[in-house]
Amino acid sequence: MDVHGFHHLAIQVRDVEKVTAFYRDVLGFSELKRHHRPDGSLRSIWVEVPCGGFLALEEVAGEPEPGPFRNERPGLFLLAFRIPKAGRAGVVEAFARAGVPLEHETRWTVYVRDPEGNRVALSHHPED
């Protein structure tokens, strides 16, 4: 195989506008593209992940089922994004300003949930 890197990740969400606002307005990801169904309704929004790739937020009708912080079920566990250690305090402040509660913290990583309960991590591991 000749894999050249990460292309994109798609997650299904009920409220594509609300979840996009989290990744765009709170995390600062640029909105790349909106995709519509043949009837004109919004189907998907893509946001750029810094340093390569994008996150495709795909609308579905079902209700989100956020699991506990630690979960023994197979499947998507979390989305983890790299931050510089020097930027950690700013990340924590930005979450506080946006009303996003911290789910958990370690010495390297800050964990939150997006509006539909998907776990999101911002990490400077292994930088101490």
Side-chain angles (χ1 to χ4, degrees):
M1 280 190 214
D2 188 18
V3 177
H4 288 236
F6 178 77
H7 189 269
H8 78 279
L9 176 69
I11 59 174
Q12 296 181 141
V13 300
R14 182 180 50 81
D15 188 337
V16 71
E17 290 281 9
K18 186 175 184 177
V19 176
T20 296
F22 172 82
Y23 289 96
R24 183 190 59 223
D25 302 341
V26 178
L27 296 187
F29 294 6
S30 300
E31 188 174 313
L32 294 174
K33 192 169 187 176
R34 289 176 174 244
H35 298 272
H36 295 85
R37 296 180 185 93
D39 69 2
S41 63
L42 185 61
R43 177 183 62 81
S44 175
I45 299 176
W46 294 359
V47 293
E48 183 175 21
V49 176
C51 298
F54 64 92
L55 179 60
L57 303 166
E58 303 286 336
E59 187 179 67
V60 294
E63 289 297 316
E65 294 181 29
F69 177 72
R70 297 225 181 263
N71 190 340
E72 297 301 320
R73 260 185 41 225
L76 178 69
F77 187 58
L78 65 87
L79 304 172
F81 302 103
R82 183 179 313 277
I83 59 170
K85 183 179 186 230
R88 182 184 179 128
V91 164
V92 171
E93 288 174 24
F95 285 138
R97 278 193 312 273
V100 177
L102 299 184
E103 180 88 6
H104 184 68
E105 281 188 85
T106 69
R107 73 184 214 206
W108 297 293
T109 308
V110 175
Y111 298 89
V112 297
R113 290 188 187 255
D114 74 14
E116 294 200 0
N118 296 299
R119 292 182 62 211
V120 178
L122 289 102
S123 183
H124 50 83
H125 184 271
E127 184 183 359
D128 277 327

